[in-house]
Amino acid sequence: MATAVSSKHFLARFKDLESAKCSISIQPICCRQSFHIFHHRYKSCSLSMNGCKGDPRVPIGTIETRTFPAVASPALAADSLDSAICNLKANPPVFTSGIIRLQVPIQQRIEAIDWLHAQHQLLPRCFFSSKSRRKDDDPLFTDFTNGNGHAHALNLVSVAGIGSAVTFRHIHQFSYSDWKSIKRFLSAKCPLIRAYGAIRFDARANISSEWESFGSFYFIVPQVEFDELGGSSMLAATIAWDDALSWTWGQAIDALQLTMSQVSSTIVKLRKEVARTLILSNNQIPNKSYWDLAVKRALQIINRSSSPLIKVVLARSSKVVTATDIDPITWLACLQVEGENAYQFYLQPPNAPAFIGNTPEQLFHRKWLGVTSEALAGTRARGESKALDLQIELDLISSPKDHLEFTIVRDSIRRKMEFDILSSLHPTPAVCGFPTEEARLLIAEIEVLDRGMYAGPVGWFGGGESEFAVGIRSALVEKGLGALIYAGTGIVEGSEPSLEWDELELKTSQFTKLLKLEVPSREKIENLGIIN
């Protein structure tokens, strides 16, 4: 847990064009660090179309949400969806393209992460949980129309999904055209049809092997989705098709039925603790010696009177290999306990590691014409008592170095709120530096790892609402290969290399302390057969 200073800013105007037909009804029923090798022990759901290959100017034929009567359990919800899908198959729509969400409320609250853990490691998969908020904030609440003109709010806590009704992926930099391709499948009148995913920190950097499957950006509208609500749950299935993309109605509904046949309704409460295991290796990229040189190099540039650079954020990855596999969902569940005021996310394409994280930093939240963003900078370990916490908070607030770092972040966000939201806010000075382009160029010059989606935007696009966090405090987890744990720290005038390294250790410990890891002796390694 970390103490941070935050500030919120608001934008009153945001233009949201709506071009798709929508209805909703109630139915009676370089020298970069990499993994190099992958051990694929997951099962892939059926393929889907890539929405980025369509013409973003052409609206799809229909966008619909169909809600069925509430049931008592996930098993009954799955039965209801199976029946609805069969009815759809027998009565196909007349449109050559479209997206239809079928949803069944469940009369009990089940945690979305427990449902995801039960799904037999099906890929692709996603998970997103918003950070907790005060009672006077309402971004957790999604307006929902029941088809009869009456609206009510759903307290959407967490979302888990498997399979992909439609995928959005490309190796080129995320652009306005790509956003329009995603928007084509969304509608404000169908608020729970959402595209979940992430964008690389820097699309111009070379992609290393562990990040290849993610591309420059990766988003999915899940085929099967489980929504954890304030006092209940919801199981949903989504079908998307477009003849122009050679993904017909028949292919799409067959793919959905195949995924549904693999969905488990047997859900066991996940134990939010990780078994003790041995670290076989723990290597930092860069190592301490290179890190000291990199920080000194950055400070030399910052201290030049001719340089506009006043801050740069440098990152490190810690490659942890353990004697037993790290379960990314269990790890994430533990982070939920640790990070009550943070976003939790999980994103895993087919044939790829799992990208998970527990980030306190919001990039932006948009609902209709309102936009909020947060500026965060500075990290301290929590104290053992409330009195110590207050002293640490005072130390953080009164620190000249941290005050400078926070001011840079806050003022940059305030200026950028006047322009396009996503492209303007990312990357923030909190994860890149300031001025942005000078900091990015220095990062590209001296960093020896591929950040991938670390420190990039992670979240979702919806028809009338979108929310993105900054993908910090994150890790890439691969079965049989351990994890890459990412962390970064801001370098400004007055920074000391050793203290910044200690801050990286503190941030990385959010993950490692949950594993209760112990470094093995040579004798233990020999007994495991690691050394001949």
Side-chain angles (χ1 to χ4, degrees):
M1 185 72 71
T3 301
V5 184
S6 66
S7 175
K8 290 192 174 182
H9 307 281
F10 300 87
L11 183 68
R13 302 178 66 186
F14 184 86
K15 191 172 182 180
D16 184 18
L17 299 176
E18 185 65 51
S19 60
K21 176 182 176 183
C22 174
S23 64
I24 184 166
S25 61
I26 295 291
Q27 300 282 326
I29 197 78
C30 114
C31 52
R32 304 250 182 201
Q33 171 69 24
S34 64
F35 276 119
H36 296 300
I37 303 171
F38 293 116
H39 293 264
H40 303 311
R41 301 180 188 176
Y42 293 89
K43 295 184 293 184
S44 292
C45 296
S46 53
L47 299 176
S48 65
M49 61 180 168
N50 187 344
C52 289
K53 295 181 179 179
D55 187 343
R57 299 168 298 178
V58 179
I60 61 174
T62 184
I63 304 177
E64 301 177 37
T65 295
R66 303 181 183 183
T67 304
F68 298 85
V71 296
S73 68
L76 292 175
D79 289 343
S80 179
L81 287 179
D82 285 336
S83 176
I85 294 168
C86 287
N87 288 336
L88 264 181
K89 194 169 186 177
N91 301 279
V94 297
F95 303 100
T96 59
S97 64
I99 184 167
I100 300 175
R101 174 182 164 104
L102 312 171
Q103 57 188 30
V104 181
I106 301 171
Q107 297 165 331
Q108 59 174 308
R109 179 174 176 177
I110 298 170
E111 290 192 42
I113 201 165
D114 291 339
W115 179 86
L116 185 62
H117 194 253
Q119 299 315 313
H120 308 301
Q121 301 178 329
L122 293 170
L123 295 181
R125 55 174 55 191
C126 64
F127 176 88
F128 190 83
S129 178
S130 292
K131 63 194 300 187
S132 60
R133 292 177 170 86
R134 301 186 306 273
K135 292 181 180 178
D136 58 337
D137 288 332
D138 73 345
L140 284 175
F141 290 84
T142 297
D143 293 329
F144 180 72
T145 306
N146 64 10
N148 297 319
H150 302 292
H152 63 281
L154 292 177
N155 183 356
L156 190 58
V157 178
S158 299
V159 175
I162 59 169
S164 176
V166 54
T167 299
F168 305 92
R169 179 191 179 276
H170 213 289
I171 59 172
H172 68 216
Q173 187 171 357
F174 187 78
S175 66
Y176 178 75
S177 177
D178 297 312
W179 179 81
K180 291 293 289 182
S181 294
I182 295 175
K183 182 68 176 174
R184 184 170 174 251
F185 289 86
L186 307 176
S187 169
K189 294 182 180 179
C190 300
L192 295 183
I193 298 179
R194 297 173 171 181
Y196 296 89
I199 302 172
R200 279 178 65 84
F201 169 77
D202 187 354
R204 290 166 285 189
N206 292 331
I207 301 177
S208 57
S209 60
E210 69 270 20
W211 289 105
E212 283 180 356
S213 295
F214 292 84
S216 177
F217 58 89
Y218 183 84
F219 288 87
I220 60 171
V221 177
Q223 268 185 319
V224 182
E225 178 182 309
F226 192 91
D227 299 331
E228 177 188 347
L229 308 175
S232 60
S233 308
M234 185 179 292
L235 185 66
T238 300
I239 179 172
W241 73 100
D242 189 344
D243 289 355
L245 292 178
S246 300
W247 188 250
T248 66
W249 164 263
Q251 290 172 300
I253 201 159
D254 287 345
L256 177 57
Q257 286 185 313
L258 178 59
T259 300
M260 283 295 298
S261 70
Q262 300 176 80
V263 171
S264 173
S265 297
T266 304
I267 302 170
V268 178
K269 185 70 175 176
L270 188 60
R271 292 183 61 188
K272 297 185 177 181
E273 62 180 64
V274 182
R276 181 180 296 275
T277 186
L278 297 176
I279 292 180
L280 302 181
S281 63
N282 186 3
N283 299 314
Q284 282 77 37
I285 305 294
N287 60 29
K288 182 64 164 61
S289 297
Y290 186 94
W291 171 263
D292 290 347
L293 292 174
V295 173
K296 290 176 182 177
R297 166 69 173 156
L299 288 173
Q300 286 177 349
I301 297 174
I302 289 171
N303 292 329
R304 287 177 186 168
S305 59
S306 60
S307 173
L309 188 68
I310 58 177
K311 175 183 177 179
V312 64
V313 178
L314 298 181
R316 185 191 78 179
S317 68
S318 298
K319 185 173 182 179
V320 176
V321 178
T322 56
T324 57
D325 284 341
I326 299 170
D327 178 11
I329 296 182
T330 303
W331 216 1
L332 187 62
C334 294
L335 293 174
Q336 282 188 311
V337 176
E338 290 284 317
E340 293 183 353
N341 194 33
Y343 294 91
Q344 287 85 34
F345 61 85
Y346 182 121
L347 184 65
Q348 189 172 15
N351 303 323
F355 180 47
I356 67 171
N358 181 67
T359 173
E361 186 166 350
Q362 180 190 75
L363 185 61
F364 75 89
H365 175 261
R366 176 185 71 85
K367 187 170 185 181
W368 305 117
L369 302 180
V371 179
T372 63
S373 184
E374 294 178 347
L376 284 86
T379 301
R380 294 290 190 276
R382 292 294 298 267
E384 296 180 356
S385 67
K386 185 173 291 188
L388 284 175
D389 272 349
L390 291 174
Q391 181 58 47
I392 292 168
E393 179 182 355
L394 179 62
D395 174 65
L396 181 61
I397 293 173
S398 60
S399 166
K401 181 261 183 186
D402 288 296
H403 178 72
L404 172 60
E405 191 176 349
F406 171 70
T407 300
I408 294 168
V409 176
R410 180 197 61 206
D411 291 348
S412 174
I413 288 179
R414 180 177 291 160
R415 286 191 296 271
K416 289 182 175 181
M417 289 298 280
E418 299 174 3
F419 306 107
D420 294 340
I421 298 172
L422 184 59
S423 60
S424 295
L425 290 179
H426 173 74
T428 71
V431 295
C432 181
F434 189 83
T436 301
E437 186 58 21
E438 285 80 357
R440 188 196 68 80
L441 289 173
L442 183 58
I443 289 169
E445 175 190 334
I446 65 178
E447 274 194 357
V448 289
L449 71 151
D450 177 17
R451 292 191 181 190
M453 268 69 179
Y454 164 72
V458 180
W460 53 271
F461 291 108
E465 186 177 9
S466 300
E467 184 166 26
F468 280 83
V470 182
I472 58 175
R473 315 290 173 86
S474 53
L476 205 58
V477 185
E478 173 65 12
K479 280 185 171 292
L481 294 172
L484 288 173
I485 305 171
Y486 296 89
T489 182
I491 308 302
V492 297
E493 183 180 357
S495 294
E496 297 182 19
S498 59
L499 294 180
E500 302 302 333
W501 183 267
D502 290 342
E503 184 170 326
L504 294 176
E505 293 288 287
L506 174 61
K507 291 174 178 176
T508 301
S509 70
Q510 178 179 222
F511 287 89
T512 57
K513 70 181 180 181
L514 295 175
L515 293 172
K516 302 177 181 177
L517 299 174
E518 58 183 38
V519 179
S521 65
R522 181 179 180 87
E523 179 182 355
K524 288 181 178 179
I525 293 178
E526 289 174 341
N527 290 337
L528 288 171
I530 305 301
I531 297 178
N532 294 328

